[in-house]
Amino acid sequence: MYTVRFQLELNESEKQFLSKSFFYANQMHNQLVRYATNRLNALFHDKEYMGARKAYGEAEFSKKKGFELSASEKKKKELSNIMCMKQKEYNLTKTSLCKFVSKEQKKYKNYINSHQAQAEAEAVYKGVEKVLFEDGRHLHYRRYGTMSRFKTT
């Protein structure tokens, strides 16, 4: 598969429109990161969630392939459900981020459509997943001028 790139020939008003569109998309991304960071901080200060997370990490995981769950697997499943409910309670799901971004998108509806806004929400949610489930430390803001293309779903 090959890609052919052509230089766009834009007049001044089209350049300004694209510049504003990238600026508002960048601003929307940073607002999403701020919202998600505040929600993550609140979640990490919840004693019930942190206790469940610590116990989940310490619980043993058996590799037996049986139909019955052992006591440790039942405990691990229960802890997983507690953590999942807390994440929903603190609005750290993909749907809650999409709802937040839809409100923000209405401010910039002349420059950013709903598909682009939802793609930004999904990009931020990938970072939230890394912080919650992998070894991510925190979410990163995007610098102005570093965004060179729009991503749509």
Side-chain angles (χ1 to χ4, degrees):
M1 181 176 183
Y2 296 98
T3 303
V4 178
R5 292 185 179 198
F6 294 105
Q7 185 71 28
L8 282 179
E9 295 180 16
L10 303 172
N11 60 26
E12 196 60 37
S13 65
E14 291 169 336
K15 286 181 185 178
Q16 286 180 341
F17 177 80
L18 282 176
S19 177
K20 282 186 179 182
S21 295
F22 283 119
F23 174 78
Y24 290 134
N26 194 22
Q27 194 169 359
M28 185 182 300
H29 176 86
N30 288 340
Q31 287 173 343
L32 265 168
V33 169
R34 187 178 316 120
Y35 174 78
T37 300
N38 288 339
R39 299 285 76 219
L40 282 169
N41 287 339
L43 181 68
F44 289 150
H45 283 90
D46 188 319
K47 291 181 182 180
E48 185 180 356
Y49 175 81
M50 291 308 289
R53 185 174 175 165
K54 184 177 180 183
Y56 185 87
E58 292 172 352
E60 291 183 21
F61 186 71
S62 69
K63 295 183 180 180
K64 286 193 288 183
K65 293 187 177 181
F67 290 107
E68 296 181 22
L69 294 176
S70 67
S72 64
E73 289 175 336
K74 286 180 183 178
K75 180 182 178 186
K76 207 161 180 137
K77 190 159 184 85
E78 181 183 318
L79 292 171
S80 176
N81 287 337
I82 290 171
M83 290 189 298
C84 185
M85 292 303 295
K86 283 294 183 179
Q87 290 164 11
K88 287 179 183 176
E89 183 181 318
Y90 283 96
N91 294 329
L92 284 170
T93 61
K94 187 184 280 191
T95 55
S96 63
L97 287 179
C98 288
K99 284 180 186 177
F100 177 79
V101 82
S102 71
K103 294 175 188 174
E104 293 297 316
Q105 186 265 336
K106 290 177 183 175
K107 295 178 187 176
Y108 314 117
K109 65 182 175 185
N110 293 335
Y111 298 100
I112 297 173
N113 64 30
S114 60
H115 298 291
Q116 294 163 340
Q118 192 170 5
E120 287 299 324
E122 289 177 6
V124 172
Y125 184 70
K126 282 183 183 178
V128 170
E129 282 182 328
K130 285 188 179 184
V131 171
L132 288 175
F133 307 121
E134 295 175 18
D135 59 349
R137 289 182 162 188
H138 58 275
L139 301 175
H140 297 277
Y141 290 96
R142 188 182 288 159
R143 272 193 194 138
Y144 175 71
T146 58
M147 188 175 172
S148 61
R149 62 180 182 249
F150 282 116
K151 221 180 199 179
T152 58
T153 54

